Amino acid sequence: MAVCIAVIAKENYPLYIRSTPTENELKFHYMVHTSLDVVDEKISAMGKALVDQRELYLGLLYPTEDYKVYGYVTNSKVKFVMVVDSSNTALRDNEIRSMFRKLHNSYTDVMCNPFYNPGDRIQSRWALLPVSASSPGGPYSRVRIQSRWALLPVSDPVQVGPTSCVRIQSRWALLPVSDPVQVGPTPVSDPVQGL
Amino acid sequence: MSPTQWDLPVELCCRPMAFVTLTGLDVVYNAVHRAVWDAFCANRRADRVPISFKVLPGDHEYPKCRPKRTSYEWYIPKGILKTGWMNKHLNLVPALVVVFYELDWDEPQWKEKQSECATRVEIVRQSLQGRNTKVAVVLIQKKTPLPPGEDVIASERAAALCNACELSGKSLFVLPHTDHLVGYIIRLENAFYEHAQTYYYTEIRRVKSHKEFLNKTTHQLLFVRHQFKIAFFSELKQDTQNALKNYRTAYNLVHELRAHETNILEIKTMAGFINYKICRLCFQHNTPLDAIAQFRKHIDLCKKKIGSAELSFEHAAWMSKQFQAFGDLFDEAIKLGLTAIQTQNPGFYYQQAAYYAQERKQLAKSLCNHEASIMYPNPDPLETQTGVLDFYGQRSWRQGILSFDLSDPEKEKVGVLAIQLKERNVAHSEIIITLLSNAVAQFKKYKCPRMKSHLMVQMGEEYYYAKDYTKALKLLDYVMCDYRSEGWWTLLTSILTTALKCSYLMAQLKDYITYSLELLGRASTLKDDQKSRIEKNLINVLMNESPDPEPDCDIFAVKTAQKLWADRISLAGSNIFTIGVQDFVPFVQCKAKFHAPSFHVDVPVEFDIYLKADCPHPIRFSKLCVSFNNQEYNQFCVIEEASKANEVLENPTQGKMCLVPGKTRKLLFKFVAKTEDVGKKIEITSVDLALGNETGRCVVLNWQGGGGDAASSQEALQAARSFKRRPKLPDNEVHWDSIIIQASTMIISRVPNISVHLRHEPPALTNEMYCLVVTVQSHEKTQIRDVKLTAGLKPGQDANLTQKTHVTLHGTELCDESYPALLTDIPVGDLHPGEQLEKMLYVRCGTVGSRMFLVYVSYLINITAEEKEIVCKCHKDETVTIETVFPFDVAVKFVSTKFEHLERVYADIPFLLMTDLLSASPWALTVVSSELQLAPSMTTVDQLESQVDNVVLQTGESASECFCLRCPSLGNVEGGVATGHYIISWKRTSAMENIPVIRTVITLPHVIVENIPLHVNADLPSFGRVRESLPVKYHLQNKTDFVQDVEISVEPSDAFMFSGLKQIRLRILPGTEQEMLYNFYPLMAGYQQLPSLNINLLRFPNFTNQLLRRFIPTSIFVKVKLKNFLLFKFKVLKTNRLLFHVHFTEQYFETNSDSFAFYSMYLAVLLFISIKLLFIESNFKDLYFLR
């Protein structure tokens, strides 16, 4: 499993960073930050050509001695960065891809939360994705079920309470419209699949 | 830096080249020899063969060759590779020894010389005892040799010499010392190179031949050694492909060696050497991917081979060196043309090298923390007899011992201690910083700004550990803004923490305060307890006391720092620091907001300063001042602790000066704007907030403009995007995010309280004195003074309008060009409340089109605002768009006397000029008079007096005039003849008496004048009567200077009988006139064609009857006598009802004329109206003809 997962805003500031070895968090912060160099370069290399067919997955950004850093960029230029242990050979490109896809779905769910303000740091009681290696393959499905509400920002618990019933009914009606790309067009971010 | 144990040996890193020694050259005293030597060693570019030359004396002793081993059975090697071996074959054992000897073929003392040469060769052979080194002889000759085969003596003597020296013919060379020295030298070199290659080939064969004697149990080390030697010789032979192959084999063999703690260093060292060679050759072969793959493999294999735990820092050092060496190789390859990419460049290797260097430092720190009392062991276990090790990678205290058991544990312990103590003296930070700065340089090149920043942070931290705080601060300060601008607060906080330590340890006041401010701010991710500590320290510093030391600082450094702080405290001097906040995120936020985007000058300007502190504890500020672009207002917007009951403060309590964390503090300011600033922008240029007081230390936070720091723009954007409903706050409290900075306001003039009305009758007519009545009425409560009126064309319109528009106050005289388009500041005087005044303006517009007119009334009034008497200047303006139109259209046409339209007029023949003046004005116009001014070429036939004097024209009405003119012959004038001007004097009917009359001059069109040879005019009555004689006289005038033959004929007509000449041919003398008299007798009534007169001019065939018809009438109205007239009319009338009567009457008239009276009475009743109408008609026709 990944040792560190980060969601970076379009403007390149972190929305969410979580790493498993919490004692050396700073190292992962730096690692994610420096990987943005490569992400930027890859995005600019992609250019404007073929926006629809563009591959969101950026692949391996750069290898370090102990870790591999992978990147993914959504159509709205939100970047996902994942750091995995170099020694973990079980994670091939396909696994990384699917992890990113799930991360993207989770992120879409966060965006769908009417109480989340796009661009705010994601403060979640639950990790956006499990970064621990507790049970390979498994944890996603488990977290998926829970994370539907778990990804809500907990900063303002008062708001969550009284309106929760309204929210269930109007989950899509209350979608923020300021960032349409994240809501509709990309097939991977289809919110219905996310459910 | 001197080479350390970990640096790769020079002989490994260089490119191996064949070693050739030159003997017999006296390069010091012999100029010829010197030149030869220079030619060998100068200019050794890539196109020359790779040989390293050395000049040695002929009797030089070469390293002795050990006796050949016949059997390896009992031989046990003591190590993998001797430390001297590479150097020996690079610099000591030559592949070829060249003996230089001066000898010409025609040398008189040939025999002696030949034997001397042989002796020299022999001496060289002696010193090379047992080696396979080749020997060659070069004869330096003064003469140019003849082509081979021609010099018989030469070939003979050469054979003899070879024989004497026991040389093959291939080893004897001749070097003529002539002009082409370099060319000869290059040829010699190539020959030497071949010999050298042969030598190395035999060496390789020799080493290979040992292989068969080896066995795998005892000679494992030798396998590696031999393989390495073969590869190295191949390299010397410049056979890099084979060299690479052999190195690869050697590399695999190294890892097959049985590794143990005792020999792991040796194995790693050799593996490192071989790996270096492989990577180097791969880069040389332009296969960088192979090099990288090999290096990765190498690292993966060796990473875990740490060896002795007590000396694990050695492994880190070795690893670091591996990465560094590879980075160097990579970089070198790039310099030679290889292209690297962002994700694969030397920077990564330097970075990793630095990482291992850091690890080495960590390990060394934990492993080498011996107490000071432990002395360096004596005798030094690291010393060897020769000063160097025999084999690479062995321990000096147990060289050559292959056993895995430690024979002497005590000795081992001392050795380890010695290494550990030595490690303690290594300047780790220096190594790390060098590596990091190498990496920085690389990442800069490959567009990795963030990686660069990260490495610079590491460099800064390393400088901090190395206690070079100045450099540390410089680096950290440099990168801080990158992290700040991208909003990576965690990283920024970590950098700031280090920076704060540095500034504390150096007692840098300003930096210390700046970093503290930011660490307390909202961008900092520090825990609250940390923040409280920093805040406490900051308060201490502001009170001119020493702060507590930062945690995790070196104790000794802290002591020095405390001394420095103490000095700072005692030092008087500038204790006020001004810190611009726009580049960082301080813990106090500020926003300034004017209440409105504009203020009237009679109302006080009000604005709020919002302050918010993010620190954990409340903090007091001592002063707040606001600066404006007009500095005169600064004095009104200051809050100071000392000042009592500041009037601009709402409730000047001391609590105002205290900022409670998380609470937004609002401070209201008010001032009265200066009247000079009306129309100007008042801008807050900066807000200064002073913390601390001037007796202690004072920090002034300076916000540019209306507040905002490095992070606030992003926050404002987020806040604007937010959908969150903000919880309700008590009154007079606001949400910080909802405050939007408004740093400037406009001062606008007081709202005028007067009314300005305009009265006029649009549209204006061209050139008229258009009257505009301006009414100004005061609604002010007090008297207004100095009322001024500015009126006229509104500036900023088309420049042509300005030229063609004139404004005056006096309507009685016409204004000309000298009048302005805009009258400014016409003093009107004072106005009492409610008073009204009226002013007339006259505008003259020279062109049509719409114009904007401006009427601007300004006045002064005394006002009391905020208990201050100010004089306000108010103004009110009105604009009005006025269309200007032509008052009338004038149409002019030329017609003949028959009122037929004329394209051209005929010389000397009268014609008519008709003018038609059509009013286009919506208002009635009075044409005062008109005047025709004829051009000199025109003459009038009758009086030219105006026919339209004082005519009033309503819209759409027209007034026409008709003048009879004549144009004398002028010959042929191009473009026609000027006719003159038509001048109309007019005014509006509604205009007052004293308004001047406008004269509009119309230039009449030019007319083309044509000469005709014959002019005919007819003299005939205006009408004829049926059956009454009608005399007609035709006048034929010859207008030419020739005698004209004229043929005249008259066509008969049904309506007339006539007497006179029916056909005649006559001559008319120049300038004379011929009269023709005819007597026509009309037979029918009505418009009748006259018998047509046909004239033929024999000289002028162009003179046609068509032309003639223009001058003479072709028809005439014939009236009836009463009796006949009625009869005629009855015939004509087509009314069915009357038809019967008509026929009846006709018959009756024929039969009985006496009864006519009776019937005419009868019919008159029926036809009264028709007849009457016909009479009127005929009368009118008469009139027409009379004219």
Side-chain angles (χ1 to χ4, degrees), chain B residues 405-582:
Chain B
D405 303 322
L406 295 173
S407 53
D408 191 347
E410 202 51 45
K411 208 172 178 185
E412 186 72 19
K413 223 180 245 174
V414 172
V416 168
L417 177 68
I419 291 176
Q420 285 176 340
L421 288 176
K422 269 223 161 128
E423 182 71 12
R424 203 156 66 170
N425 298 332
V426 173
H428 289 110
S429 290
E430 208 175 308
I431 297 168
I432 296 166
I433 288 164
T434 314
L435 289 169
L436 285 172
S437 67
N438 277 351
V440 165
Q442 294 292 339
F443 282 116
K444 201 167 162 186
K445 208 158 45 174
Y446 295 100
K447 283 193 250 169
C448 300
R450 294 180 187 89
M451 185 62 101
K452 193 186 118 198
S453 304
H454 174 42
L455 293 170
M456 283 169 81
V457 171
Q458 289 187 326
M459 272 171 86
E461 284 170 354
E462 206 52 54
Y463 273 122
Y464 164 70
Y465 293 128
K467 302 198 169 55
D468 190 346
Y469 304 121
T470 324
K471 278 188 181 153
L473 262 191
K474 206 170 160 191
L475 279 165
L476 294 176
D477 206 54
Y478 183 83
V479 294
M480 241 178 244
C481 65
D482 294 342
Y483 290 98
R484 195 181 291 124
S485 64
E486 284 202 324
W488 286 72
W489 303 133
T490 334
L491 302 182
L492 179 67
T493 307
S494 123
I495 297 166
L496 279 170
T497 315
T498 317
L500 185 69
K501 284 179 196 166
C502 290
S503 55
Y504 169 75
L505 293 173
M506 286 195 297
Q508 287 275 21
L509 266 173
K510 193 175 176 181
D511 289 335
Y512 185 82
I513 293 165
T514 314
Y515 300 137
S516 303
L517 287 173
E518 192 158 16
L519 278 171
L520 288 172
R522 62 200 189 281
S524 152
T525 54
L526 286 183
K527 297 267 186 310
D528 267 355
D529 54 335
Q530 288 289 318
K531 282 192 176 179
S532 329
R533 188 182 59 77
I534 291 169
E535 191 178 355
K536 207 180 101 208
N537 278 341
L538 180 65
I539 290 167
N540 276 347
V541 169
L542 291 178
M543 288 162 75
N544 210 5
E545 285 167 22
S546 289
D548 290 341
E550 291 298 309
D552 310 325
C553 279
D554 188 61
I555 302 156
F556 298 106
V558 167
K559 279 197 179 125
T560 347
Q562 276 164 341
K563 238 174 252 153
L564 280 172
W565 279 104
D567 291 349
R568 286 267 186 280
I569 289 160
S570 58
L571 208 73
S574 74
N575 275 333
I576 299 175
F577 305 97
T578 304
I579 296 168
V581 299
Q582 63 277 3

Side-chain angles (χ1 to χ4, degrees), chain A residues 6 8 11-14 17 25-42 60-66 114-121 153 155-156 159 176-178, chain B residues 296 299-300 303 319 323 342-344 348 351-352 355-356 446-454 457 461 482-483 485-491 494-495 714 717-719 721-727:
Chain A
I8 316 289
E11 294 86 0
N12 282 342
Y13 62 87
I17 294 195
E25 221 173 4
L26 211 58
K27 184 173 90 178
F28 290 108
H29 279 241
Y30 274 121
M31 204 179 284
V32 170
H33 184 241
T34 50
S35 73
L36 292 179
D37 284 335
V38 189
V39 173
D40 275 1
E41 195 69 17
K42 288 205 176 193
L60 180 67
L61 297 181
Y62 70 89
T64 65
E65 212 43 36
D66 309 313
F115 301 102
Y116 173 73
N117 187 22
D120 279 350
R121 311 215 171 198
S155 60
D156 210 346
Q159 290 177 334
V177 287
S178 65
Chain B
R296 285 250 57 87
I299 291 302
D300 289 343
K303 202 159 44 175
M319 286 294 278
F323 278 100
Q342 192 190 34
T343 50
Q344 192 56 263
F348 286 102
Q351 188 199 7
Q352 202 58 36
Y355 166 72
Y356 277 110
Y446 295 100
K447 283 193 250 169
C448 300
R450 294 180 187 89
M451 185 62 101
K452 193 186 118 198
S453 304
H454 174 42
V457 171
E461 284 170 354
D482 294 342
Y483 290 98
S485 64
E486 284 202 324
W488 286 72
W489 303 133
T490 334
L491 302 182
S494 123
I495 297 166
Q714 172 68 26
L717 189 71
Q718 268 310 109
R721 262 194 223 164
S722 174
F723 296 98
K724 250 177 227 165
R725 190 166 50 89
R726 298 189 178 90

Side-chain angles (χ1 to χ4, degrees), chain B residues 8 198 214 291 339 555 656 755 908 1032 1165:
Chain B
L8 297 173
T198 323
L214 308 181
T339 40
I555 302 156
K656 275 269 158 188
S755 59
D908 261 342
V1032 175
V1165 178

Side-chain angles (χ1 to χ4, degrees), chain B residues 52 135 143 173 198 218 393 407 506 526 538 596 707 766 775 837:
Chain B
S52 76
V135 178
K143 290 187 184 129
F173 303 95
T198 323
T218 49
S407 53
M506 286 195 297
L526 286 183
L538 180 65
T766 320
T775 315
L837 69 81

